Amino acid sequence: MQIKVAIGTIAFMLTMVIFGYAALREPTRLERFTLAEQGRSIETGAHLYQANCSNCHGVNGLAEECYDLGTGAQIGCIGLPLNYRALLCGDISDRMIALNWQGTKEAFIRSTISSGRAGTEMPTWSEQFGGPLRDDQVRNIVSYVLNYETVELCSGEVIRFEWPDSVDDLLVAFPDSSAENGKALFLSYGCTGCHGIPDEGVVAAVGPDMANIGEVAATRIEGKTALQYIYESILHPSDFIAPECPNGPCSGPPSAMPANFPDRMAVSPGDMVDIFAYLQLLEQ
Amino acid sequence: MATFYDQVKEMGLKQAFVAKSDEVVERITAGMNIGDIRSALRGDEPRRPNPRLRPHADGFWLHIRPSFYHNEITRVYPTFHLGWLSTFMFVWETITGIFLMIFYTPSPLVAYSNMWNIMANVPLGQLMRNMHRLGAEVMVLVVALHMLRTFVTGSYKKPRQFTWATGMILLVLTLMLSFSGYLLPWDQLAYWALTVFISGAESAPAPPVVNQNVLLILQGGPSLGAGGLLRWYLLHVLLMPLLLAIFFFVHYYKVVLHGFSLPPGREEVGEDTAKRIPKNERTYFIPDIMTSEVMWTALLTLFLVAGSLWFWDAPLEHHADPVVTPLHVVAPWYLSWSQGWLKLAPKTVVIGFIPLLMVIFIVMPYFEVGKSRRYADRRVGLSVSMLFIAFMMVSNWMGTPRYRVQSSSDLEVATKLLPEEGVSVLLGIPPEYLWEGQYLPGQVVADNPHLTYGLQVFNDLMVKHSCTNFPGTTIGGVGLETCEAEDHRMPDPYATLTIEQAQEGLVRMVIHIDALNPENTDEYLYNLDWVGYRHENANYEEECSFINKSC
């Protein structure tokens, strides 16, 4: 019996020692598991993003490379870039200021995904609002999108470009144009997602059709040439809302057309001229 | 009754204090003072009248425990302490379960995040969760072994038939407790195991109106959702523990009433001397049995705590998703036999057979009335039981993933390497060794043993699932078998693993496998790109260190 008492006592003390060890290592373990939860949320978010979001926002979140989920063919990106400084950088990002969002960045993205953005092609995703995703899935996608924020993305120099008021000044600054490159840009900037592919007979889905836009645009505003009108529409889409869109009257203001092209095209302003060439707005 | 003050005046402070302490201890133990406890622990003979019997007579905690046992049954054989062990496990599960209950809400909206909260924010939360889950597995095992032992030693025979019947009910309750706890984390593992179980209950051989209502009751609605989770939670924390406690007391009351059966060879056939223990063959509860039980309690606690901390980890898969069925849904190991049976007979027959079997077991002692408990006289019974155990083992084996329906070869390879759930060789590679690039199966990557090993496993899987139409072909230096007609393996496949950076800290791994159709080389027979993600913080390496995770 004495041996049993001894064994029991030793076992009990060992258990206490193990508990003590576990308690001592607990702070680091908890930290590791907090990170692990975050990491696994990002992993799950990556799968969900590729399955649900990448065909509008691009496989890398840049809104440049979008593929039809059914056929695999490359299509224009309808969505805005998410791997994008104006959305992600700073506690209060430029995008949040533009939309006058008063909450946190995480909540901003979560709310946008959950309830969609009225007047645009962004649908509601949360099942609360009739979408397909549960809240935990929305949160996983938010983790993934927020993970695009890197020091590299946010610390680089912001390239701005003073767009001249008159399109003629732009043409002077960038005299060379390539309609072929313009077509590629028309796809990679995502224009085709809403405006169709004019030279291939793909009709517009959301915004005004671009086939023979040269004639139509000239009639929009008294005293503005077609080129000047298009130029201003790209830079300030909400200033004038076109009367007819494929789904009835065009929505706005604000227009469904993203207002961030002045910043997105600032890196190479000549892209604008190439797109004009592709839309056959330039005098040959 | 003199007050303490009077006692101090009478004998001085020290003496009065000693006397008072003695009195208090004697009240707490219902009859033993400090001196009695010391003498018991030293192994001295008790004084007369024996104070060590008074806790049994006057106290609550020991009133149901026998004050002495037969020497023969205090050894490991014949009981193996399995009954006591089952009780210990029930208490263990109650304590750890209450701890987990504090941090748990039975709602699909938060149940799963509660699990991560327990693991990432609650001090010792993961240990507690592991201890509860490991305890559940051990409890099922112990209770089943307890039943087996009772059968083998013939302890179910008259007058103990009813004890056996309550024991059978306790076994079923233990399985149901374990299984109802399965659903609570609300992860994929839980959701689909329960879904399979409930759909089994639906196909019981009964009128459709019964089946439909059983299904509705078990699911708590048209599909397993919030109502179902709450229901199974209440079953798990309220109804089943309550029933188990009630039946436990009935069971133990009967055990004490009839006495512990002696080893089969010890008594004459037809005799039951368990209640007539000669004076010289007694082992008294205090101190011998009690110290023995405390020792086993300490050892088991040590085993469960150490096991939960270092060797065994409770699984947690992704959030439950009613629209995504994982590739291979397996029953928990203790129900694997039922999955095996489904391969032998139609569902309805199997589901009907299980309750029938339970009834057969419960009433068995009332029909099996052979008087002798000796092994030599019970050859038929023991042979039948051994055959049944063999049958159960084969059924269990048939229920294991090895014996399941295979998906297509390319998917088998890809999901082994980058599974939808759990860890794998590739996921277990430390993040600093996941070098970007495109790799072939079996490729040796210099200075990178982890990735090399992963590619070696990739190669083994490819060889297993491939064949060749050009004898002499190898993958990674291993020769392939020649394709046969109707071969389900991939003919001369080409496979790669691509590792690329998806985001900062997030790696995308793509398993590409393709194989041309030998009949028509313009089309692919197999063409798969299987994607998996791995974040550097995801902590898979730690998961891989537990013995119940395969990496």
Side-chain angles (χ1 to χ4, degrees):
Chain A
M1 188 186 69
Q2 272 73 10
I3 189 75
K4 284 182 177 171
V5 173
I7 291 173
T9 308
I10 290 167
F12 176 76
M13 285 162 80
L14 270 176
T15 305
M16 288 300 119
V17 168
I18 292 175
F19 264 124
Y21 165 77
L24 285 177
R25 70 161 206 178
E26 205 58 3
T28 53
R29 196 197 62 76
L30 289 174
E31 207 172 312
R32 209 162 54 244
F33 268 76
T34 305
L35 288 171
E37 183 188 12
Q38 188 61 20
R40 293 190 188 199
S41 177
I42 291 168
E43 288 171 7
T44 310
H47 281 288
L48 288 164
Y49 177 90
Q50 296 304 341
N52 295 290
C53 321
S54 64
N55 57 332
C56 293
H57 294 281
V59 287
N60 297 322
L62 297 165
E64 285 172 358
E65 254 189 282
C66 297
Y67 301 95
D68 186 304
L69 291 177
T71 62
Q74 188 167 356
I75 52 175
C77 298
I78 304 176
L80 295 182
L82 305 173
N83 184 358
Y84 189 53
R85 123 183 250 129
L87 173 70
L88 296 175
C89 293
D91 285 342
I92 301 172
S93 66
D94 295 355
R95 180 72 171 150
M96 289 158 70
I97 294 167
L99 291 167
N100 195 18
W101 180 265
Q102 300 293 339
T104 61
K105 186 161 56 178
E106 188 272 343
F108 167 67
I109 295 172
R110 183 155 46 91
S111 151
T112 307
I113 295 171
S114 296
S115 48
R117 184 150 318 285
T120 72
E121 284 300 284
M122 179 72 175
T124 54
W125 288 99
S126 166
E127 52 184 24
Q128 283 184 67
F129 309 116
L133 298 179
R134 298 185 312 269
D135 278 356
D136 60 283
Q137 293 174 307
V138 172
R139 277 195 298 271
N140 289 333
I141 296 174
V142 173
S143 308
Y144 176 76
V145 171
L146 286 173
N147 198 42
Y148 274 125
E149 184 189 347
T150 59
V151 175
E152 201 183 346
L153 181 77
C154 298
S155 65
E157 202 185 328
V158 187
I159 297 166
R160 297 238 184 262
F161 181 72
E162 278 305 318
W163 295 94
D165 287 341
S166 163
V167 70
D168 297 334
D169 298 348
L170 183 76
L171 296 180
V172 170
F174 299 93
D176 300 335
S177 68
S178 149
E180 199 180 333
N181 189 37
K183 178 171 181 169
L185 292 166
F186 201 71
L187 179 70
S188 67
Y189 276 115
C191 318
T192 55
C194 297
H195 297 285
I197 310 176
D199 62 337
E200 288 182 21
V202 177
V203 292
V206 181
D209 203 86
M210 290 291 125
N212 67 36
I213 188 68
E215 291 160 36
V216 179
T219 66
R220 292 270 201 243
I221 300 179
E222 197 80 19
K224 279 199 203 299
T225 62
L227 189 59
Q228 180 66 22
Y229 169 77
I230 293 289
Y231 176 61
E232 288 180 19
S233 296
I234 295 174
L235 294 183
H236 313 292
S238 295
D239 286 5
F240 179 86
I241 304 293
E244 72 284 344
C245 275
N247 311 319
C250 298
S251 68
S255 167
M257 167 107 167
N260 60 7
F261 286 110
D263 291 343
R264 285 176 68 186
M265 297 177 112
V267 181
S268 71
D271 289 356
M272 186 83 92
V273 183
D274 288 349
I275 289 171
F276 293 153
Y278 168 62
L279 295 176
Q280 301 176 351
L281 296 165
L282 300 178
E283 292 156 21
Q284 299 306 321
Chain B
M1 177 74 207
T3 61
F4 184 59
Y5 179 63
D6 292 338
Q7 284 178 324
V8 172
K9 278 199 293 193
E10 194 182 319
M11 12 176 180
L13 183 65
K14 191 177 167 190
Q15 279 295 324
F17 189 76
V18 168
K20 194 76 192 168
S21 307
D22 241 357
E23 195 187 320
V24 169
V25 169
E26 193 166 337
R27 279 200 201 160
I28 290 172
T29 59
M32 290 171 73
N33 62 30
I34 296 172
D36 295 332
I37 293 172
R38 286 180 64 186
S39 81
L41 286 176
R42 274 203 302 263
D44 302 342
E45 285 298 309
R47 63 185 165 88
R48 304 263 166 229
N50 185 348
R52 300 174 195 174
L53 300 179
R54 285 194 53 208
H56 294 278
D58 300 347
F60 169 75
W61 291 108
L62 296 185
H63 82 276
I64 197 171
R65 309 295 316 259
S67 46
F68 53 82
Y69 291 56
H70 197 295
N71 289 345
E72 285 282 349
I73 60 127
T74 60
R75 310 189 218 296
V76 173
Y77 175 83
T79 65
F80 300 94
H81 302 312
L82 286 164
W84 174 83
L85 204 50
S86 307
T87 315
F88 169 84
M89 288 318 306
F90 178 57
V91 174
W92 174 267
E93 287 301 274
T94 306
I95 294 168
T96 53
I98 286 172
F99 186 98
L100 293 172
M101 241 172 129
I102 297 167
F103 303 97
Y104 180 79
T105 308
S107 151
L109 296 175
V110 292
Y112 183 74
S113 48
N114 282 173
M115 289 297 123
W116 276 103
N117 180 54
I118 285 170
M119 297 201 298
N121 296 322
V122 178
L124 298 181
Q126 194 206 12
L127 181 65
M128 213 39 90
R129 182 169 180 261
N130 285 359
M131 292 195 307
H132 190 68
R133 186 101 182 210
L134 182 62
E137 312 264 341
V138 171
M139 185 171 169
V140 168
L141 186 67
V142 165
V143 172
L145 287 173
H146 180 49
M147 170 200 162
L148 178 64
R149 190 284 295 178
T150 312
F151 181 86
V152 170
T153 60
S155 304
Y156 60 88
K157 286 172 183 280
K158 192 181 172 189
R160 298 185 179 79
Q161 309 100 317
F162 189 68
T163 318
W164 167 270
T166 53
M168 283 306 304
I169 291 166
L170 289 171
L171 172 69
V172 172
L173 283 172
T174 302
L175 288 173
M176 289 301 293
L177 261 168
S178 189
F179 201 63
S180 57
Y182 224 73
L183 180 65
L184 306 188
W186 205 245
D187 62 349
Q188 282 288 67
L189 181 73
Y191 188 89
W192 291 99
L194 257 289
T195 300
V196 169
F197 177 81
I198 292 170
S199 77
E202 187 199 14
S203 56
V209 64
V210 173
N211 281 339
Q212 278 153 16
N213 282 300
V214 164
L215 181 73
L216 206 59
I217 288 166
L218 290 179
Q219 282 187 342
S223 68
L224 193 54
L229 177 58
L230 182 56
R231 234 160 252 213
W232 284 91
Y233 171 76
L234 291 173
L235 281 178
H236 186 69
V237 303
L238 207 67
L239 183 64
M240 299 212 179
L242 191 68
L243 287 176
L244 195 117
I246 290 168
F247 277 99
F248 164 74
F249 281 114
V250 174
H251 188 73
Y252 194 64
Y253 173 78
K254 289 284 178 190
V255 168
V256 177
L257 187 72
H258 298 304
F260 296 91
S261 59
L262 297 185
R266 282 275 312 176
E267 32 191 28
E268 294 303 313
V269 172
E271 257 200 338
D272 195 341
T273 58
K275 295 297 279 182
R276 301 192 301 275
I277 306 174
K279 273 213 162 34
N280 59 351
E281 292 179 23
R282 289 178 185 180
T283 302
Y284 279 84
F285 183 87
I286 296 174
D288 294 287
I289 303 294
M290 199 172 204
T291 47
S292 165
E293 281 181 4
V294 170
M295 178 193 79
W296 283 114
T297 303
L299 281 173
L300 263 167
T301 305
L302 176 63
F303 165 79
L304 287 165
V305 172
S308 305
L309 191 64
W310 288 306
F311 304 110
W312 193 90
D313 188 27
L316 185 65
E317 297 188 343
H318 288 117
H319 193 291
D321 193 338
V323 294
V324 178
T325 317
L327 200 58
H328 300 297
V329 178
V330 271
W333 60 268
Y334 50 86
L335 292 180
S336 189
W337 47 268
S338 62
Q339 264 191 318
W341 287 1
L342 289 172
K343 300 185 173 88
L344 295 174
K347 208 167 165 181
T348 308
V349 175
V350 171
I351 304 300
F353 185 59
I354 292 171
L356 184 70
L357 196 69
M358 268 165 42
V359 171
I360 289 172
F361 271 116
I362 289 176
V363 301
M364 185 265 299
Y366 297 97
F367 289 90
E368 201 280 292
V369 289
K371 279 205 177 353
S372 174
R373 290 176 49 226
R374 298 184 175 194
Y375 302 127
D377 301 338
R378 299 171 55 220
R379 289 202 169 96
V380 174
L382 289 173
S383 305
V384 169
S385 69
M386 291 305 144
L387 279 174
F388 179 75
I389 290 166
F391 169 63
M392 286 304 265
M393 283 180 164
V394 172
S395 303
N396 272 322
W397 170 72
M398 284 173 66
T400 56
R402 270 178 199 291
Y403 206 81
R404 70 197 170 198
V405 180
Q406 296 279 317
S407 53
S408 65
S409 311
D410 51 350
L411 210 56
E412 283 290 329
V413 174
T415 51
K416 281 233 175 45
L417 293 166
L418 295 172
E420 295 161 290
E421 299 295 347
V423 286
S424 71
V425 175
L426 288 188
L427 291 176
I429 296 175
E432 64 271 24
Y433 284 97
L434 283 170
W435 299 347
E436 286 188 63
Q438 193 174 57
Y439 304 95
L440 294 168
Q443 189 175 331
V444 176
V445 186
D447 302 328
N448 193 336
H450 300 276
L451 189 54
T452 303
Y453 177 68
L455 292 168
Q456 187 51 52
V457 173
F458 188 7
N459 195 61
D460 296 345
L461 285 165
M462 284 306 293
V463 169
K464 186 181 162 191
H465 289 282
S466 308
C467 61
T468 181
N469 293 312
F470 313 98
T473 312
T474 60
I475 298 186
V478 184
L480 292 180
E481 291 176 19
T482 308
C483 293
E484 296 152 16
E486 295 296 307
D487 206 321
H488 292 293
R489 293 173 299 183
M490 297 176 278
D492 297 304
Y494 170 73
T496 57
L497 164 68
T498 310
I499 300 179
E500 54 197 9
Q501 198 79 13
Q503 278 183 342
E504 201 171 78
L506 184 73
V507 159
R508 181 188 294 124
M509 291 187 255
V510 186
I511 302 271
H512 173 82
I513 301 175
D514 69 53
L516 292 171
N517 186 348
E519 323 283 293
N520 172 9
T521 50
D522 290 342
E523 63 168 27
Y524 284 112
L525 208 53
Y526 294 93
N527 193 358
L528 174 79
D529 281 309
W530 184 262
V531 181
Y533 290 92
R534 181 2 167 163
H535 193 277
E536 60 184 13
N537 295 339
N539 208 24
Y540 290 117
E541 321 80 285
E542 186 174 335
E543 245 182 77
C544 288
S545 66
F546 290 99
I547 52 175
N548 66 326
K549 304 283 173 88
S550 57
C551 286

